[in-house]
Amino acid sequence: MTTVRREAFGRMPPEEGGGEVEKFVLQSDSVRVEILSFGCIITTLETKDRDGQFSDVVLGFDTLEGYTRKHPFFGAVVGRVANRIANGRFTLDGKEYQLFLNNGPNSLHGGAKGFDKVLWSPQVLPNGVRFFRLSPDGEEGYPGDLKVWVTYTLSGRELAINYQAQTSKTTPISLTNHAYFNLAGQGSRDVYDHEISIEADSYLPVDDTKIPTGEVAAVQGTGFDLRQPVELGKHLQKFHLDGFDHNFCLHQGQDRRLVARVFHPPTGRTMEVHTTQPGIQFYTGNNLDGSLKGKGAATYPKHSAFCLETQNWPDAVNKPHFPNVLLHPGEEYNHTTWLVFNTA
């Protein structure tokens, strides 16, 4: 049984329209998750360790103010296009579109005011919540009126996130959730003792602005070969890596498949990621610097969390040999990611 509760969480600042932000609490026997109508943000995700003790395993803030200020997309749905678009520019049907540059020379996670920074309209479901918004034609420079639905459902140990969209004009679209996890519990110092595996035979090398070079490189014989579990801290040392912030190329197909698994030996917590998406960005919180005050006055230093963002490949709109990122009128964008929490 999943219970769903809704409560007030705060009000948007007057300059942002002053709308009410609600929090939705989804609870099963083994998982408890809290999600805001602002940015569809997962603020809390509590799972059991091997002794049955609950801990909150996602980074975030205690108040709405934390989320309305600048932060690294904690827990949020990002769009219209997740990840980076080179020079914030693309051409469709002979017309060039210029987006806002918010990440050096590139556009990141939808631009200046992406899907993470807006209020969504909620609808309570028996085992979850569905959020809707209309992203108007020209918003952040993107073409077409885009109707978007993001649905969170909790069933036992499994949290499903479904993304659907329809457009009035051809547009690129790639939606993901940007939760930052630490299976030791949020506020823990690092994720070096986590063991991770990713089911990917190739990854995308990037230039110094994090844009894929276009090469699809084999992981074999490199520090990006995560097909067998590695202990993260030791692995980063062994390969002299500052951390990961790379797209791993998943086996193509529309069906649900297991793509990543994380295990935290001290607590026994495990997390599996299943998805229909063609890519997953593995990010190890390289840009966290301890300056943000998180939940319970926690600070979040470098490498104190990881993200596994299921997505299309970065800059796919400018790379014809990458998976198709365009949605046409009359089509439906429909992807699902499942997070499964367990103990071992």
Side-chain angles (χ1 to χ4, degrees):
M1 265 297 290
T2 299
T3 59
V4 183
R5 204 172 74 243
R6 74 193 293 175
E7 51 192 66
F9 187 69
R11 286 204 102 76
M12 293 297 289
E15 65 273 15
E16 295 280 334
E20 187 184 13
V21 177
E22 289 186 286
K23 177 171 82 175
F24 297 82
V25 184
L26 283 45
Q27 188 157 5
S28 71
D29 287 343
S30 38
V31 177
R32 183 171 175 278
V33 58
E34 301 183 1
I35 307 156
L36 301 184
S37 58
F38 176 71
C40 305
I41 291 172
I42 296 174
T43 60
T44 302
L45 204 163
E46 295 177 359
T47 73
K48 287 179 180 175
D49 66 10
R50 66 164 66 89
D51 300 324
Q53 295 297 309
F54 278 97
S55 278
D56 183 4
V57 297
V58 295
L59 276 52
F61 302 104
D62 288 323
T63 63
L64 178 61
E65 195 182 11
Y67 293 106
T68 55
R69 285 196 284 224
K70 187 172 165 55
H71 69 98
F73 304 95
F74 285 152
V77 164
V78 292
R80 193 177 287 200
V81 174
N83 216 300
R84 293 168 180 85
I85 293 177
N87 306 308
R89 208 178 295 140
F90 60 90
T91 301
L92 275 184
D93 303 326
K95 182 176 176 196
E96 184 173 277
Y97 293 87
Q98 179 64 56
L99 312 172
F100 185 77
L101 305 181
N102 61 335
N103 187 251
N106 306 315
S107 182
L108 174 70
H109 293 330
K113 189 177 181 183
F115 290 3
D116 61 298
K117 297 178 182 70
V118 291
L119 271 177
W120 295 63
S121 304
Q123 176 196 353
V124 171
L125 306 174
N127 60 342
V129 57
R130 175 178 294 133
F131 298 101
F132 169 80
R133 82 173 295 253
L134 173 67
S135 170
D137 186 14
E139 182 175 64
E140 285 299 320
Y142 287 99
D145 286 329
L146 186 75
K147 292 178 177 171
V148 192
W149 295 263
V150 177
T151 307
Y152 292 89
T153 48
L154 180 63
S155 170
R157 302 175 182 280
E158 179 174 281
L159 177 66
I161 313 174
N162 172 258
Y163 307 88
Q164 288 168 273
Q166 298 163 355
T167 186
S168 65
K169 291 180 188 169
T170 301
T171 181
I173 178 174
S174 177
L175 303 177
T176 193
N177 179 283
H178 209 308
Y180 286 70
F181 295 94
N182 186 321
L183 298 186
Q186 70 88 26
S188 300
R189 193 177 64 244
D190 59 58
V191 289
Y192 297 145
D193 58 355
H194 289 50
E195 294 174 9
I196 177 133
S197 57
I198 296 178
E199 300 279 330
D201 299 325
S202 51
Y203 77 102
L204 300 180
V206 292
D207 67 16
D208 56 6
T209 73
K210 302 278 196 324
I211 291 288
T213 61
E215 179 192 0
V216 181
V219 300
Q220 184 75 38
T222 74
F224 295 87
D225 191 345
L226 304 177
R227 292 173 295 185
Q228 294 298 317
V230 302
E231 188 179 318
L232 198 52
K234 287 181 181 156
H235 186 83
L236 293 177
Q237 274 182 324
K238 177 181 173 183
F239 288 95
H240 306 291
L241 296 168
D242 183 49
F244 288 94
D245 191 3
H246 294 79
N247 179 82
F248 286 76
C249 307
L250 305 174
H251 303 292
Q252 302 292 299
Q254 282 302 295
D255 295 336
R256 169 178 175 157
R257 55 215 184 282
L258 172 64
V259 296
R261 185 174 186 270
V262 186
F263 172 46
H264 184 245
T267 61
R269 285 193 183 89
T270 66
M271 174 175 126
E272 288 178 356
V273 182
H274 303 244
T275 193
T276 58
Q277 288 275 21
I280 188 166
Q281 187 86 1
F282 178 37
Y283 174 54
T284 49
N286 314 328
N287 297 321
L288 297 174
D289 61 6
S291 62
L292 292 170
K293 274 276 182 287
K295 288 179 280 191
T299 56
Y300 301 136
K302 182 176 179 174
H303 295 162
S304 61
F306 65 89
C307 304
L308 286 165
E309 305 155 62
T310 53
Q311 58 173 18
N312 203 319
W313 301 3
D315 201 34
V317 72
N318 292 311
K319 306 271 199 299
H321 60 295
F322 283 9
N324 171 50
V325 70
L326 298 180
L327 180 69
H328 301 279
E331 297 174 345
E332 182 172 64
Y333 176 90
N334 192 337
H335 279 288
T336 308
T337 294
W338 297 263
L339 304 175
V340 185
F341 300 93
N342 232 315
T343 52

